[in-house]
Amino acid sequence: MSLDVAAACDDHAGMISQPYQLYIERTDPAKNMARYYTMEIGPTMFGEACLTRRWGRIGKRGQEKQHVFEREEEAVRLFLDLVKQKRARGYRPRATLRYFQS
């Protein structure tokens, strides 16, 4: 392809259609367990879909792994599979406490 030729451009190419983000925790004080797991899907510099996973002990940096896909659907499929696996292992959204002053 020549740089002189105008190429047809799809406005949605390389864009993530909707945000996919997740933060879940698994805690068990009896086992001294306090783990987190987070995932998000975003675009790479080249317009590919990238699923980024981070996990570790709550309060620590932990580990990170990235999966790059040509199609967003592939990233979403892995995202949903991992959510199912983590829920089966006991991970849940973080319980938030709200304090109201009167």
Side-chain angles (χ1 to χ4, degrees), residues 40-96:
E40 66 181 323
I41 298 176
T44 66
M45 289 178 33
F46 305 106
E48 301 160 313
C50 180
L51 170 62
T52 303
R53 303 189 291 160
R54 293 179 189 92
W55 67 92
R57 185 164 179 84
I58 294 172
K60 302 293 181 181
R61 181 178 167 93
Q63 300 179 48
E64 179 177 311
K65 186 170 185 173
Q66 295 183 335
H67 305 269
V68 178
F69 300 92
E70 289 184 20
R71 298 178 42 226
E72 180 182 351
E73 294 81 17
E74 296 169 313
V76 171
R77 188 175 303 119
L78 178 57
F79 184 97
L80 296 174
D81 286 345
L82 290 167
V83 169
K84 185 177 178 181
Q85 289 174 17
K86 296 303 173 185
R87 298 264 315 160
R89 295 203 56 172
Y91 282 85
R92 299 288 182 260
R94 175 177 35 188
T96 58

Side-chain angles (χ1 to χ4, degrees), residues 97-101:
L97 298 175
R98 294 187 180 198
Y99 297 96
F100 297 98
Q101 294 180 349

Side-chain angles (χ1 to χ4, degrees), residues 10-21:
D10 182 8
D11 287 342
H12 299 291
M15 295 179 67
I16 302 299
S17 63
Q18 68 180 33
Y20 287 90
Q21 296 178 331

